[in-house]
Structures are given as structure tokens and as C-alpha cells.
Amino acid sequence: MSEIRPDFTIEQDWRGYSDEEHAIWRLLFERQQRLLAERACREYLDGLRGLGVAAHGIPDFRDLSDILDKATGWRIVAVPGLVPDDVFFAHLARRRFPSTCFIRRRDQLDYLQEPDVFHDICGHVPLLMNPVFADYMQAYGEGGLKASGLGHLERLARLYWYTVEFGLIATEAGLRIYGSGILSSAAESVYCLADPRPRRIRFALRRVMRTRYRIDDLQQIYFVIDDFQQLFDATRPDFTPIYREIAALPDLDPGVLLEEDREFDCANPSAKIGGQKIGPRMSAAQV
Ligand code: PHE
Ligand code: FE
């Protein structure tokens, strides 16, 4: 591996990828293309098209960055794997998306607990072509630097998890995917929209920040936004008093529903309020 710089970036070494690695990319890419045409949100599909991301193999980050930079001022920087939180936030705050370079092995096509280049590039980067989402990610980076100073990183990390990684969006055509953790997973792309087991709840900032998550299985709960502007507006206020407010409340398990939760009604997707009440609910005082 090339030298690791003080900001944890490395060279991608695009020439060093083997034919097998490019072949794994193509396999993943083609499989997700088929699944996502009817499941991913429009903004994602537009971004993917705009980038021309590479059905033919692992893309060179420099080519992608040039296109991305023109669209929204973001660039991709190569990193060796997960980087320290403050380093990650500092990159986002400067509109630089840290991407891993390695690709999963053929026997790991379906689930990986750590990000690889397919997740980072095919999952995250297309949405950075969208101006509102691009601003949200920068604001998240700035918010991360602040949250770590305040000791509330766990709550902010949940917001990232349930939006950037596993978010769903309500559209005229029905529920669609925008979370990268879903977009890069064949099984979850199908499960998150069609399976009766997981709960799909209207996005509410404090609710999300209180909800724990699992990194080793399909999600039990998804939060549904109306559009990226709603997400950006809901997260614009200073979180300092909000962190303090919810620090007094218990964390929530992903399997639990609250009285005030508004379930997304798949039968009536345009309904802005409500959703039928199904299943056991707990009042906030019980949990
Ligand atoms: N408004 C948040 C804060 O004050 C920053 C933020 C914006 C965090 C968008 C996440 C997403 O900390
Ligand atoms: Fe990710």
C-alpha cells in the first residue's frame, strides 16, 4: 500500500487493480443496476448517470472527482479503510468524500460490515451530484466536529446511519431508496421496500437520534423522508440543545414503536400524515 498521509489519504493506485477485481465490480454493478432501476430514488439514478460510473470496472477517482467537482464542488479522496471520526468529519466539512479502495472478495458479494470501494463509490457518490444532498453531507461533517467536542457523537452517528446509510424517501411513485448501505446491497434493496417485517417510520430528528442500530443484519426499522430539502431543513438547527434534551431520555431499540411514530402507509404513499397503527406500540414513558 502507498504511504498514508497525515490526513489519512492515500493514492488510489488505479493501475494496481487486477482483472478479477474489476470483474467483481462489474458483477456487483450489473446486479444492482437491475434491482435499482425501479427502487432507487430519481436523484440517485440521475447522479449515477451524470457520473457515467463505470459499468466496465472500478473507476479512477480522479475522473469521478472532476465530474463531481463541476456539479457540486465535491471531490473523492482515497483512504485505507475506516478513518478516525474527526478526520472523516473534517474531510466532509471540506467537501471531500473519503472512499476506500479495496473491493470485497467474490465470496463476500452479499454482505460486508465494512465499506469497500463498491459501497463508497456506487452507494455514496452518486447522491453527492445532487446540490441539496451535497450540502447536507458538508453540514454533517461540520456537525460531527461539533458533536465530538460535546460528547454526543453516538447520537449524531445514528442520524447518519438512518439517513445517509439506510434512508428511504417517499415519492409520487411510492417508496424509494436513497441510503447507500441499501443501494450497495442486493438483499437489502429488495427487503427494505417489500418485506413485511421492518417498520417504516416517518423521519423525526429526535426519534432517529435515540434509536440504536445494528451493523450485522438487515435493518428492523427505516425512517422515511419526503425529500432532501425536508432533511436538510430538519437538521439545520443547532443540535446543542437537542443533544441535551434527548440525553435525558432512554435510547430506543430498533424493534420498538412509539405512540407518536407515524408509519409510512405503503398502500397510500401520498398521505402526508398518519399511516395505520399496526402492531404493539409503547408510549415513550415505557421504554
Ligand atoms: N445542525 C447540526 C448541528 O448543529 C449540524 C448538522 C447538519 C448535522 C446536518 C447533521 C446534518 O450540529
Ligand atoms: Fe457508507
Side-chain angles (χ1 to χ4, degrees):
M1 196 186 290
S2 71
E3 152 225 7
I4 302 179
R5 304 183 193 101
D7 65 355
F8 282 81
T9 62
I10 57 173
E11 279 302 316
Q12 184 193 11
D13 186 23
W14 185 76
R15 291 184 179 286
Y17 289 114
S18 66
D19 291 345
E20 166 68 359
E21 288 171 319
H22 285 299
I24 292 172
W25 172 281
R26 280 196 297 275
L27 207 68
L28 288 164
F29 189 87
E30 280 156 23
R31 189 167 73 164
Q32 284 314 97
Q33 279 300 99
R34 277 195 300 278
L35 290 171
L36 295 180
E38 297 294 318
R39 293 182 174 86
C41 65
R42 185 183 42 78
E43 292 85 346
Y44 173 82
L45 296 171
D46 287 349
L48 196 60
R49 200 169 320 113
L51 284 169
V53 169
H56 15 276
I58 302 169
D60 187 325
F61 294 173
R62 285 169 300 194
D63 300 338
L64 292 183
S65 293
D66 289 342
I67 303 168
L68 194 53
D69 201 349
K70 280 200 194 80
T72 57
W74 276 77
R75 298 194 69 83
I76 297 156
V77 292
V79 291
L82 291 174
V83 299
D85 291 328
D86 55 328
V87 174
F88 181 70
F89 296 139
H91 281 303
L92 296 186
R94 298 181 55 196
R95 291 173 101 86
R96 294 192 306 209
F97 187 77
S99 173
T100 49
C101 303
F102 83 98
I103 192 150
R104 65 194 77 184
R105 296 189 316 258
R106 220 172 251 275
D107 61 348
Q108 302 171 314
L109 289 194
D110 290 318
Y111 202 83
L112 205 63
Q113 278 186 31
E114 52 177 339
D116 72 340
V117 65
F118 183 73
H119 168 78
D120 282 332
I121 299 300
C122 257
H124 285 284
V125 173
L127 278 173
L128 291 173
M129 294 282 282
N130 178 275
V132 180
F133 195 84
D135 287 347
Y136 175 67
M137 287 290 276
Q138 176 182 2
Y140 183 87
E142 289 162 355
L145 293 170
K146 189 166 86 185
S148 46
L150 294 169
H152 286 292
L153 214 48
E154 212 182 336
R155 297 193 174 88
L156 188 71
R158 291 172 183 159
L159 176 65
Y160 190 86
W161 187 263
Y162 285 116
T163 61
V164 178
E165 295 289 353
F166 290 94
L168 297 180
I169 184 166
T171 77
E172 297 286 305
L175 212 48
R176 291 288 183 273
I177 305 163
Y178 75 92
S180 338
I182 309 175
L183 293 165
S184 61
S185 155
E188 196 142 6
S189 307
V190 176
Y191 165 93
C192 73
L193 298 180
D195 198 283
R197 283 167 293 178
R199 290 348 239 290
R200 300 166 184 91
I201 303 295
R202 295 283 181 176
F203 177 86
L205 181 66
R206 290 164 179 76
R207 169 63 156 106
V208 169
M209 284 186 171
R210 291 177 59 198
T211 308
R212 291 194 204 95
Y213 58 84
R214 303 185 56 155
I215 64 161
D216 60 347
D217 203 354
L218 300 172
Q219 301 301 304
Q220 287 169 272
I221 188 163
Y222 299 96
F223 291 93
V224 182
I225 61 169
D226 287 324
D227 53 50
F228 293 133
Q229 194 61 49
Q230 176 209 22
L231 177 62
F232 191 59
D233 292 344
T235 51
R236 194 195 309 273
D238 181 5
F239 285 180
T240 312
I242 300 176
Y243 291 141
R244 226 176 283 130
E245 184 191 316
I246 61 176
L249 301 171
D251 287 342
L252 300 170
D253 274 334
V256 147
L257 276 188
L258 296 182
E259 205 63 63
E260 72 255 27
D261 286 339
R262 294 186 305 147
E263 281 192 80
F264 180 80
D265 183 356
C266 290
N268 186 13
S270 60
K272 294 280 180 212
I273 315 249
Q276 75 276 52
K277 297 200 171 182
I278 42 170
R281 283 176 180 257
M282 297 175 105
S283 71
Q286 286 175 273
V287 289

